[in-house]
Amino acid sequence: MRRTSQLLGLAVLASIAAAIWAARSGGAVHARESMSRGAAPGRLGSRLNSAMDAPMYRAIAAALDLRPDDEVLDVACGWGEFLVAHAAGARRVAGVDLTPEKVALARERLARRIADGTAEVAEGDAAALPWPADTFSAVTCMDAYPFFPDPRAVLAEVFRVLRPGGRAVISFAAEQLPNGVESRQSRGIAGVYTAISATVTTRMMAEAGFDPVTLSWAPIAGDHRLLGAALRAAGGDQLDVVVGHKPA
């Protein structure tokens, strides 16, 4: 209850701050552009995203099972929360994001590792990753997948930059789609996105070359019962976690 109250209070605070910022600085257009890519804008919005997505990060970390010799890429990394909080023990970390503001924040948070040569953050398109083939042992993409215009191109790039024997973890909020419907355009608080079934994502990963590909689920709200009940009432509290391995 205490954690849920903190999250809800933070959400209210972020909403008030965003409204004041938009009114005073004309930042409403920027806010809409950021939200259309699935992320709340600014440092405060990033903190809000991190607080709300903490159970997802834990689920991904468990699925990825990082080791000290791993070199990890987080696609659509935002302000670098997963790399900072869950990949600190990896030998090398990298992030890529389309939003300059998020890239700047991630570089700030990873400044020490960047200076040591064990981290980098690039501004770029997930469908054209700025790294050579076979660079990383692990790649993650959390909650951004439904916002990609061409998810197949992104999966092909993830496969390309993975080393043989590496693994990729893709996660996104599950949606109940009508029977026979594999995807559809939807609009939510974070903007327009494509709701894609986990079955389709699993098939797309296999088509990209991953083998084996496994699917699991986790509650978006973690162990926060009240928040979980609210999410279920709003449409669902299920996080799809798809893990693909690049054949050695």
Side-chain angles (χ1 to χ4, degrees):
M1 284 293 291
R2 179 179 298 175
R3 178 63 172 164
T4 300
S5 298
Q6 290 173 342
L7 291 175
L8 293 176
L10 185 59
V12 172
L13 179 61
S15 298
I16 294 172
I20 294 173
W21 167 71
R24 290 185 175 179
S25 67
V29 172
H30 171 63
R32 287 195 297 270
E33 290 175 350
S34 296
M35 291 299 289
S36 72
R37 291 189 286 266
R43 190 181 301 271
L44 184 58
S46 296
R47 290 186 184 278
L48 173 61
N49 281 144
S50 294
M52 298 298 290
D53 291 340
M56 176 181 67
Y57 294 138
R58 290 193 293 270
I60 297 307
L64 200 59
D65 189 24
L66 287 175
R67 302 181 292 266
D69 61 344
D70 271 319
E71 300 194 19
V72 186
L73 169 64
D74 188 15
V75 176
C77 66
W79 78 326
E81 178 68 16
F82 183 81
L83 299 177
V84 171
H86 295 283
R91 180 166 61 193
R92 176 171 171 256
V93 299
V96 61
D97 202 276
L98 192 61
T99 309
E101 179 184 48
K102 298 291 186 179
V103 170
L105 288 170
R107 287 173 176 167
E108 177 185 313
R109 300 184 76 201
L110 290 163
R112 181 173 296 180
R113 292 201 65 171
I114 291 173
D116 291 340
T118 63
E120 64 178 308
V121 183
E123 180 185 335
D125 188 343
L129 296 174
W131 288 280
D134 305 337
T135 297
F136 301 99
S137 61
V139 179
T140 61
C141 181
M142 288 163 277
D143 217 24
Y145 177 73
F147 295 91
F148 295 139
D150 187 353
R152 283 183 170 84
V154 175
L155 292 177
E157 278 292 274
V158 168
F159 187 85
R160 182 184 66 81
V161 301
L162 264 181
R163 297 172 187 159
R167 68 270 192 216
V169 182
I170 310 294
S171 69
F172 50 95
E175 285 208 23
Q176 296 296 323
L177 298 175
N179 290 335
V181 176
E182 296 187 335
S183 67
R184 69 180 178 190
Q185 291 289 309
S186 299
R187 179 179 292 276
I189 190 172
V192 177
Y193 64 97
T194 302
I196 306 176
S197 72
T199 301
V200 171
T201 301
T202 301
R203 185 173 69 234
M204 288 168 58
M205 289 192 76
E207 290 170 352
F210 291 96
D211 183 28
V213 180
T214 59
L215 171 65
S216 62
W217 298 271
I220 294 174
D223 57 0
H224 308 310
R225 294 181 180 179
L226 184 58
L227 183 58
L231 288 172
R232 287 190 294 274
D237 180 32
Q238 179 175 300
L239 180 74
D240 288 335
V241 181
V242 184
V243 181
H245 294 261
K246 185 172 182 175

